[in-house]
Amino acid sequence: MAKGYWVSAYHTISDPEKLAAYNKLAGPAVQAGGGRLLARGGRIVAHDAGIAERTVLIEFDSFEQAIAAHESEAYQEALVALSDGVERDFRIIEGID
């Protein structure tokens, strides 16, 4: 079964307090959904049209598990706390089986 991944690239962070509130809620929600944090805001080298910006990578045992974690009540609560505090590109992608 192919793994699932959350990939978030933060274009701008306009409200660090909202991001902190989101992080406080999102971490437990991700763990409860079976997610494992692989990378968050570390060093980045961007190539081609890439932009060196805060990036988060979370792994799940399956693509379906990644979708379910995003749809969970706990993670939706985290998104409410984040609201308009950031502009980000968030994707759920399927890994190679």
Side-chain angles (χ1 to χ4, degrees):
M1 177 180 297
K3 293 186 178 188
Y5 296 89
W6 286 8
V7 182
S8 301
Y10 288 73
H11 302 306
T12 60
I13 299 172
S14 58
D15 192 330
E17 290 180 10
K18 287 183 179 180
L19 180 57
Y22 163 83
N23 286 336
K24 185 176 180 180
L25 296 170
V30 166
Q31 287 183 334
R36 294 171 297 285
L37 183 63
L38 299 181
R40 179 182 60 205
R43 298 187 309 166
I44 297 171
V45 175
H47 294 280
D48 302 325
I51 300 170
E53 57 194 2
R54 176 185 171 92
T55 304
V56 178
L57 177 62
I58 299 173
E59 179 182 63
F60 293 85
D61 289 335
S62 71
F63 182 70
E64 291 75 19
Q65 187 180 37
I67 291 171
H70 184 270
E71 294 174 354
S72 73
E73 185 176 329
Y75 187 70
Q76 292 301 307
E77 182 180 337
L79 288 177
V80 169
L82 182 61
S83 65
D84 61 351
V86 301
E87 178 188 344
R88 69 180 182 160
D89 178 351
F90 179 91
R91 298 164 190 246
I92 300 174
I93 61 172
E94 184 175 32
I96 297 172
D97 196 11

